Amino acid sequence: NAGVTQTPKFQVLKTGQSMTLQCAQDMNHNSMYWYRQDPGMGLRLIYYSASEGTTDKGEVPNGYNVSRLNKREFSLRLESAAPSQTSVYFCASSVGDADQPQHFGDGTRLSIL
Amino acid sequence: EDQVTQSPEALRLQEGESSSLNCSYTVSGLRGLFWYRQDPGKGPEFLFTLYSAGEEKEKERLKATLTKKESFLHITAPKPEDSATYLCAVPTRRGYNKLIFGAGTRLAVHP
């Protein structure tokens, strides 16, 4: 049971480089989410997609873009990475709205030097 | 402002020593409360959903309860494998449809 799969698991970037984080789910969920987790800050929503073809900003969207490629895949792009974007990034999916439980991948640990 | 607060931040227990974790929330129109377990280097793992005051859910040594202002995660006779960070989260309707997460309680169970 794969659930939510994120790639890569680790990445080191230099300031100004770009990168796309990939996420795929095999649970036929409609909604997908991108979070970042920082020490003392908890999980914060970056972007979400309520259904295929739609995306919306979350709490901390600046510096990021997303693409809902199809029902299974939701990618997060950093166009010009900054040290402040060093974090652990989690993708999640759920059947529907936020009143349904979300299921998380194991994260991408991203360091920006 | 919608908010979720968890206490304590960290808890150290001896194996077999039962205790409770607290999650207090302020949100208009509660649409559910979620408990997650997170192991180091892993993503949060869904444990329970509670939808109404008085509801209880159980899984092995864990029992989650819900009141109108808070939720408790009771851990009965914990084992070292229960060591993890426990997160609670509630949906909010403010601005966008999302979950608000608490900062978590780091639980360490020692043999």
Side-chain angles (χ1 to χ4, degrees):
Chain A
N1 293 336
V4 178
T5 303
Q6 293 184 235
T7 56
K9 295 188 185 306
F10 302 93
Q11 186 69 49
V12 179
L13 295 178
K14 294 181 179 178
T15 298
Q17 287 185 318
S18 62
M19 163 155 202
T20 299
L21 309 185
Q22 306 285 352
C23 174
Q25 53 92 8
D26 63 2
M27 295 174 282
N28 200 34
H29 285 171
N30 293 311
S31 299
M32 297 186 73
Y33 310 82
W34 276 106
Y35 292 89
R36 60 179 290 174
Q37 187 174 41
D38 303 291
M41 301 290 290
L43 281 156
R44 293 181 293 169
L45 184 67
I46 305 171
Y47 271 92
Y48 71 103
S49 170
S51 62
E52 186 178 355
T54 68
T55 61
D56 287 285
K57 295 178 181 180
E59 185 181 359
V60 288
N62 291 344
Y64 305 96
N65 287 300
V66 290
S67 295
R68 184 74 182 267
L69 305 171
N70 48 57
K71 190 171 185 179
R72 292 186 63 247
E73 298 173 288
F74 189 36
S75 64
L76 178 72
R77 183 162 177 84
L78 287 71
E79 291 291 351
S80 179
S84 61
Q85 294 178 305
T86 293
S87 187
V88 182
Y89 291 86
F90 289 101
C91 177
S93 69
S94 66
V95 171
D97 287 349
D99 56 351
Q100 299 293 319
Q102 296 178 16
H103 300 270
F104 287 78
D106 280 338
T108 294
R109 282 141 191 85
L110 182 61
S111 294
I112 300 163
L113 306 176
Chain B
E1 179 182 349
D2 294 346
Q3 195 169 358
V4 175
T5 303
Q6 291 188 247
S7 62
E9 289 186 16
L11 181 62
R12 178 190 171 114
L13 298 174
Q14 290 298 123
E15 185 173 2
E17 179 186 3
S18 301
S19 188
S20 296
L21 312 182
N22 177 265
C23 171
S24 63
Y25 60 89
T26 54
V27 63
S28 56
L30 183 70
R31 295 183 293 137
L33 184 142
F34 303 99
W35 280 100
Y36 289 86
R37 169 191 171 127
Q38 187 173 22
D39 293 300
K42 298 290 187 179
E45 175 189 352
F46 170 69
L47 292 173
F48 304 110
T49 307
L50 301 166
Y51 284 109
S52 57
E55 189 175 359
E56 298 183 353
K57 293 275 181 72
E58 287 190 64
K59 180 179 180 179
E60 296 182 354
R61 295 174 293 283
L62 301 177
K63 183 169 78 172
T65 61
L66 181 66
T67 73
K68 289 185 177 180
K69 292 185 178 180
E70 58 192 348
S71 177
F72 293 93
L73 185 65
H74 307 278
I75 304 176
T76 302
K79 298 182 178 182
E81 52 262 44
D82 294 322
S83 298
T85 296
Y86 290 86
L87 303 170
C88 71
V90 297
T92 177
R93 290 192 189 275
R94 282 190 181 273
Y96 36 81
N97 197 12
K98 75 176 189 82
L99 288 179
I100 298 176
F101 281 86
T105 294
R106 296 189 310 278
L107 174 65
V109 181
H110 296 269

